[in-house]
């Protein structure tokens, strides 16, 4: 299968819960085409970022890519929560909420792949080591010059 938006392959394991005749649930694993391999499809962060709308909504949780487009209306927290995380890493938000074991199981229904570069490595690559924080230092030098000027003016006027 391929994504209707960008044409990316969406092979991978999908699972769904089927309700039995007597109301008991039985789990059935359903494999997508080509899923005999245990390997998930690989996506770049740029590919994931293209899926930020209600027509195609992907999120990443623990470096796994989920297509939650069809789950938006069912999400107990509302569609807005998913749309806020669309096209990016939702790991922290997902864990902060404290999802139930049932929610974590349902999550697997929407698994389509994994990102090629783990989030932790991506953050390290995009940061500059030992770079000064420009926001905190931008005002300190001019302020220091003004204070020194005031002290010198004060000493010159009253010390002489």
């Amino acid at each position: 299968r391929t994504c209707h938006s960008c044409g990316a392959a969406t092979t991978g394991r999908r699972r769904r819960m089927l309700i039995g005749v007597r109301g008991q649930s039985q789990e059935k694993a359903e494999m997508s085409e080509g899923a005999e391999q245990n390997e998930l499809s690989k996506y770049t962060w740029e590919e994931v970022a293209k899926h930020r709308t209600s027509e195609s909504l992907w999120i990443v949780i623990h470096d796994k890519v989920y297509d939650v487009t069809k789950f938006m209306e069912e999400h107990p927290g509302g569609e807005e929560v998913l749309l806020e995380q669309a096209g990016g890493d939702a790991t922290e938000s997902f864990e902060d909420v404290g999802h139930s074991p049932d929610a974590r199981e349902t999550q697997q229904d929407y698994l389509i792949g994994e990102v090629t570069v783990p989030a932790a490595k991506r953050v390290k690559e995009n940061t500059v080591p030992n770079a000064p924080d420009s926001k905190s230092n931008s005002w300190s030098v001019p302020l220091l010059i003004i204070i020194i000027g005031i002290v010198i003016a004060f000493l010159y006027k009253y010390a002489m």
Side-chain angles (χ1 to χ4, degrees), residues 81-93:
V81 175
L82 294 175
L83 284 167
E84 286 174 8
Q85 302 300 319
D89 190 350
T91 303
E92 188 174 341
S93 298

Side-chain angles (χ1 to χ4, degrees), residues 8-62:
T10 59
T11 61
R13 181 175 303 183
R14 293 186 181 250
R15 303 171 71 173
R16 93 185 129 151
M17 298 295 290
L18 298 175
I19 305 301
V21 177
R22 295 187 182 136
Q24 299 173 350
S25 65
Q26 43 181 244
E27 190 172 333
K28 177 181 178 186
E30 178 183 300
M31 304 298 266
S32 300
E33 40 182 273
E36 281 120 22
Q37 319 158 352
N38 273 340
E39 216 169 294
L40 292 170
S41 296
K42 307 282 188 204
Y43 300 99
T44 64
W45 285 98
E46 290 77 19
E47 287 174 303
V48 173
K50 292 176 186 175
H51 300 272
R52 307 178 58 88
T53 67
S54 58
E55 287 78 35
S56 180
L57 197 156
W58 291 9
I59 58 174
V60 176
I61 300 173
H62 296 293

Side-chain angles (χ1 to χ4, degrees), residues 102-154:
D102 287 341
R104 291 176 187 277
E105 188 173 317
T106 300
Q107 173 187 8
Q108 298 311 305
D109 293 345
Y110 303 96
L111 178 64
I112 60 169
E114 59 189 354
V115 288
T116 55
V117 178
K121 187 174 181 183
R122 181 173 168 242
V123 169
K124 286 181 186 175
E125 289 174 355
N126 291 336
T127 59
V128 178
N130 301 324
D133 182 6
S134 60
K135 290 181 182 174
S136 64
N137 292 333
S138 63
W139 58 269
S140 59
V141 173
L143 182 62
L144 184 61
I145 292 171
I146 292 171
I147 292 173
I148 291 173
I150 292 171
V151 169
I152 290 174
F154 181 81

Side-chain angles (χ1 to χ4, degrees), residues 54-73:
S54 58
E55 287 78 35
S56 180
L57 197 156
W58 291 9
I59 58 174
V60 176
I61 300 173
H62 296 293
D63 300 324
K64 302 286 189 230
V65 181
Y66 299 90
D67 181 356
V68 294
T69 310
K70 294 179 181 174
F71 181 65
M72 284 193 328
E73 291 179 10

